[in-house]
Amino acid sequence: MSSTHLSIGDLSRATGTKVETIRFYEKNGLLPQPGRTQGNYRAYEPAHLNRLSFIRRARDLGFSLDQVRALLTLSDDRSHSCAAVDVIARAHRDEVERKIKDLQSLKTVLDQVIESCHCNIVADCAIIESLAPASQGS
Amino acid sequence: MSSTHLSIGDLSRATGTKVETIRFYEKNGLLPQPGRTQGNYRAYEPAHLNRLSFIRRARDLGFSLDQVRALLTLSDDRSHSCAAVDVIARAHRDEVERKIKDLQSLKTVLDQVIESCHCNIVADCAIIESLAPASQGS
DNA sequence: CTTGACCCTATAGCGACTATAGGGTGTATA
DNA sequence: TATACACCCTATAGTCGCTATAGGGTCAAG
Ligand SMILES: [Zn+2]
Ligand SMILES: [Zn+2]
Ligand SMILES: [Zn+2]
Ligand SMILES: [Zn+2]
């Protein structure tokens, strides 16, 4: 392998991505197919590393693979308006906001349920009671 | 079907659970197999309805199916200490708490990223820049 | 007697990986 | 030179919690 080419392991180490995940991104059209060595090893260019870093960063920020694909396409069209980028980012932020709210009200209920358990045996357990619809007799 | 028996559709309507989901719970050992009618229809007892309500309530609270299975087993052993119930509930609450924190710091970053976009074209877009590792040239 | 609502099984799909089986390649060392 | 070992390859199946589809059977009403 020439010094300008990177193996899949190099990309893996450089980005903290599992090798299988990199192949998965390729199979799913997020990462373009690289050239191959004589031994059929993938031989990446630095641009591949940049692209993979982009993907991972976007994934870290919680964007879906579909959103990442869209962001990549947009980022390739450098002269295009970035309005579409903004739309994707805001949609994602709104979703994160919704999830936070959902989890917060969930936690409130869980706190109440857990707090209410001052018992010893399951028959009297307020946690179990809070799950059961009525007196169970199965 | 006798009036004391419930069809899968009855359970579905009573709990807001899709029919396929009920069969899925049965296949995965959460809901015991009911009797069958002459026409091979599932014929549920009221106890099944209670159990399904329990499952759904626990799922609404975000417990995993494994956790629900454990809670069901514990709730069947009425004389047992409820310490194990407490452990499951607290573990779940802690996880929810962690997720909230993760999403909150995620949202902070997303807010910053979105806020920083005052541009017009992708080439200058701060959102794209925040994803890219360096200047891209692929 | 046919329509239509309901039910059955079995299987595949979702998202985003992860893991396994069963091999091939390339290099360092005994 | 043998061989050990790290690394790479493909293809396929598994994870979770459903959901959807295909291709049928059952049952009551009109
Ligand atoms: Zn090249
Ligand atoms: Zn208790
Ligand atoms: Zn019965
Ligand atoms: Zn912008």
PDB file of all heavy atoms in Angstrom, chain A residues 2-18:
ATOM      1  N   SER A   2       0.578   2.173  -0.905  1.00  0.00           N
ATOM      2  CA  SER A   2       1.357   3.403  -0.956  1.00  0.00           C
ATOM      3  C   SER A   2       1.062   4.246   0.281  1.00  0.00           C
ATOM      4  O   SER A   2       0.046   4.083   0.933  1.00  0.00           O
ATOM      5  CB  SER A   2       1.028   4.185  -2.230  1.00  0.00           C
ATOM      6  OG  SER A   2       0.226   5.302  -1.945  1.00  0.00           O
ATOM      7  N   SER A   3       1.929   5.159   0.560  1.00  0.00           N
ATOM      8  CA  SER A   3       1.797   5.952   1.780  1.00  0.00           C
ATOM      9  C   SER A   3       0.629   6.929   1.691  1.00  0.00           C
ATOM     10  O   SER A   3       0.136   7.414   2.688  1.00  0.00           O
ATOM     11  CB  SER A   3       3.102   6.715   2.043  1.00  0.00           C
ATOM     12  OG  SER A   3       3.395   7.538   0.928  1.00  0.00           O
ATOM     13  N   THR A   4       0.158   7.229   0.483  1.00  0.00           N
ATOM     14  CA  THR A   4      -0.958   8.167   0.359  1.00  0.00           C
ATOM     15  C   THR A   4      -2.305   7.483   0.524  1.00  0.00           C
ATOM     16  O   THR A   4      -3.324   8.143   0.627  1.00  0.00           O
ATOM     17  CB  THR A   4      -0.937   8.873  -1.011  1.00  0.00           C
ATOM     18  OG1 THR A   4      -1.068   7.872  -2.029  1.00  0.00           O
ATOM     19  CG2 THR A   4       0.356   9.611  -1.218  1.00  0.00           C
ATOM     20  N   HIS A   5      -2.297   6.167   0.561  1.00  0.00           N
ATOM     21  CA  HIS A   5      -3.555   5.435   0.703  1.00  0.00           C
ATOM     22  C   HIS A   5      -3.731   4.928   2.125  1.00  0.00           C
ATOM     23  O   HIS A   5      -2.770   4.577   2.799  1.00  0.00           O
ATOM     24  CB  HIS A   5      -3.618   4.269  -0.291  1.00  0.00           C
ATOM     25  CG  HIS A   5      -3.862   4.731  -1.691  1.00  0.00           C
ATOM     26  ND1 HIS A   5      -3.451   4.027  -2.790  1.00  0.00           N
ATOM     27  CD2 HIS A   5      -4.487   5.829  -2.158  1.00  0.00           C
ATOM     28  CE1 HIS A   5      -3.805   4.672  -3.880  1.00  0.00           C
ATOM     29  NE2 HIS A   5      -4.434   5.780  -3.523  1.00  0.00           N
ATOM     30  N   LEU A   6      -4.988   4.872   2.533  1.00  0.00           N
ATOM     31  CA  LEU A   6      -5.298   4.447   3.897  1.00  0.00           C
ATOM     32  C   LEU A   6      -6.060   3.140   3.859  1.00  0.00           C
ATOM     33  O   LEU A   6      -6.955   2.953   3.024  1.00  0.00           O
ATOM     34  CB  LEU A   6      -6.148   5.523   4.574  1.00  0.00           C
ATOM     35  CG  LEU A   6      -5.501   6.905   4.697  1.00  0.00           C
ATOM     36  CD1 LEU A   6      -6.558   7.990   4.806  1.00  0.00           C
ATOM     37  CD2 LEU A   6      -4.553   6.941   5.892  1.00  0.00           C
ATOM     38  N   SER A   7      -5.741   2.254   4.778  1.00  0.00           N
ATOM     39  CA  SER A   7      -6.499   1.009   4.896  1.00  0.00           C
ATOM     40  C   SER A   7      -7.769   1.269   5.698  1.00  0.00           C
ATOM     41  O   SER A   7      -7.922   2.317   6.337  1.00  0.00           O
ATOM     42  CB  SER A   7      -5.658  -0.051   5.592  1.00  0.00           C
ATOM     43  OG  SER A   7      -5.586   0.245   6.972  1.00  0.00           O
ATOM     44  N   ILE A   8      -8.656   0.299   5.684  1.00  0.00           N
ATOM     45  CA  ILE A   8      -9.899   0.457   6.433  1.00  0.00           C
ATOM     46  C   ILE A   8      -9.593   0.541   7.936  1.00  0.00           C
ATOM     47  O   ILE A   8     -10.275   1.258   8.669  1.00  0.00           O
ATOM     48  CB  ILE A   8     -10.883  -0.698   6.112  1.00  0.00           C
ATOM     49  CG1 ILE A   8     -12.302  -0.338   6.543  1.00  0.00           C
ATOM     50  CG2 ILE A   8     -10.423  -2.019   6.736  1.00  0.00           C
ATOM     51  CD1 ILE A   8     -13.385  -1.243   5.997  1.00  0.00           C
ATOM     52  N   GLY A   9      -8.551  -0.146   8.354  1.00  0.00           N
ATOM     53  CA  GLY A   9      -8.126  -0.065   9.747  1.00  0.00           C
ATOM     54  C   GLY A   9      -7.619   1.323  10.112  1.00  0.00           C
ATOM     55  O   GLY A   9      -7.853   1.810  11.220  1.00  0.00           O
ATOM     56  N   ASP A  10      -6.940   1.965   9.157  1.00  0.00           N
ATOM     57  CA  ASP A  10      -6.478   3.332   9.386  1.00  0.00           C
ATOM     58  C   ASP A  10      -7.675   4.263   9.617  1.00  0.00           C
ATOM     59  O   ASP A  10      -7.681   5.059  10.555  1.00  0.00           O
ATOM     60  CB  ASP A  10      -5.682   3.834   8.166  1.00  0.00           C
ATOM     61  CG  ASP A  10      -4.353   3.103   7.993  1.00  0.00           C
ATOM     62  OD1 ASP A  10      -3.823   2.576   8.999  1.00  0.00           O
ATOM     63  OD2 ASP A  10      -3.857   3.044   6.856  1.00  0.00           O
ATOM     64  N   LEU A  11      -8.677   4.137   8.740  1.00  0.00           N
ATOM     65  CA  LEU A  11      -9.881   4.962   8.905  1.00  0.00           C
ATOM     66  C   LEU A  11     -10.560   4.657  10.220  1.00  0.00           C
ATOM     67  O   LEU A  11     -11.062   5.555  10.901  1.00  0.00           O
ATOM     68  CB  LEU A  11     -10.850   4.712   7.748  1.00  0.00           C
ATOM     69  CG  LEU A  11     -10.840   5.781   6.660  1.00  0.00           C
ATOM     70  CD1 LEU A  11      -9.540   5.715   5.879  1.00  0.00           C
ATOM     71  CD2 LEU A  11     -12.030   5.650   5.741  1.00  0.00           C
ATOM     72  N   SER A  12     -10.587   3.383  10.555  1.00  0.00           N
ATOM     73  CA  SER A  12     -11.209   2.959  11.796  1.00  0.00           C
ATOM     74  C   SER A  12     -10.552   3.641  12.988  1.00  0.00           C
ATOM     75  O   SER A  12     -11.220   4.241  13.828  1.00  0.00           O
ATOM     76  CB  SER A  12     -11.105   1.432  11.914  1.00  0.00           C
ATOM     77  OG  SER A  12     -11.529   0.998  13.180  1.00  0.00           O
ATOM     78  N   ARG A  13      -9.230   3.565  13.050  1.00  0.00           N
ATOM     79  CA  ARG A  13      -8.500   4.163  14.171  1.00  0.00           C
ATOM     80  C   ARG A  13      -8.621   5.684  14.165  1.00  0.00           C
ATOM     81  O   ARG A  13      -8.806   6.319  15.205  1.00  0.00           O
ATOM     82  CB  ARG A  13      -7.026   3.748  14.103  1.00  0.00           C
ATOM     83  CG  ARG A  13      -6.750   2.383  14.741  1.00  0.00           C
ATOM     84  CD  ARG A  13      -5.270   2.013  14.658  1.00  0.00           C
ATOM     85  NE  ARG A  13      -4.827   1.834  13.274  1.00  0.00           N
ATOM     86  CZ  ARG A  13      -4.948   0.702  12.596  1.00  0.00           C
ATOM     87  NH1 ARG A  13      -5.519  -0.357  13.159  1.00  0.00           N
ATOM     88  NH2 ARG A  13      -4.518   0.615  11.355  1.00  0.00           N
ATOM     89  N   ALA A  14      -8.556   6.256  12.962  1.00  0.00           N
ATOM     90  CA  ALA A  14      -8.572   7.720  12.868  1.00  0.00           C
ATOM     91  C   ALA A  14      -9.909   8.316  13.286  1.00  0.00           C
ATOM     92  O   ALA A  14      -9.974   9.469  13.724  1.00  0.00           O
ATOM     93  CB  ALA A  14      -8.232   8.151  11.436  1.00  0.00           C
ATOM     94  N   THR A  15     -10.980   7.545  13.147  1.00  0.00           N
ATOM     95  CA  THR A  15     -12.309   8.119  13.414  1.00  0.00           C
ATOM     96  C   THR A  15     -13.040   7.424  14.566  1.00  0.00           C
ATOM     97  O   THR A  15     -14.142   7.821  14.911  1.00  0.00           O
ATOM     98  CB  THR A  15     -13.207   7.996  12.161  1.00  0.00           C
ATOM     99  OG1 THR A  15     -13.381   6.604  11.850  1.00  0.00           O
ATOM    100  CG2 THR A  15     -12.609   8.718  10.981  1.00  0.00           C
ATOM    101  N   GLY A  16     -12.429   6.375  15.104  1.00  0.00           N
ATOM    102  CA  GLY A  16     -13.118   5.640  16.161  1.00  0.00           C
ATOM    103  C   GLY A  16     -14.359   4.910  15.671  1.00  0.00           C
ATOM    104  O   GLY A  16     -15.333   4.748  16.397  1.00  0.00           O
ATOM    105  N   THR A  17     -14.296   4.481  14.422  1.00  0.00           N
ATOM    106  CA  THR A  17     -15.423   3.760  13.822  1.00  0.00           C
ATOM    107  C   THR A  17     -15.037   2.301  13.632  1.00  0.00           C
ATOM    108  O   THR A  17     -13.934   2.015  13.176  1.00  0.00           O
ATOM    109  CB  THR A  17     -15.745   4.346  12.435  1.00  0.00           C
ATOM    110  OG1 THR A  17     -15.810   5.759  12.533  1.00  0.00           O
ATOM    111  CG2 THR A  17     -17.052   3.793  11.897  1.00  0.00           C
ATOM    112  N   LYS A  18     -15.917   1.379  13.971  1.00  0.00           N
ATOM    113  CA  LYS A  18     -15.601  -0.029  13.752  1.00  0.00           C
ATOM    114  C   LYS A  18     -15.503  -0.311  12.261  1.00  0.00           C
ATOM    115  O   LYS A  18     -16.240   0.276  11.458  1.00  0.00           O
ATOM    116  CB  LYS A  18     -16.675  -0.921  14.374  1.00  0.00           C
ATOM    117  CG  LYS A  18     -16.750  -0.782  15.882  1.00  0.00           C
ATOM    118  CD  LYS A  18     -17.287  -2.037  16.534  1.00  0.00           C
ATOM    119  CE  LYS A  18     -17.173  -1.878  18.041  1.00  0.00           C
ATOM    120  NZ  LYS A  18     -17.644  -3.058  18.778  1.00  0.00           N
TER     121      LYS A  18
END
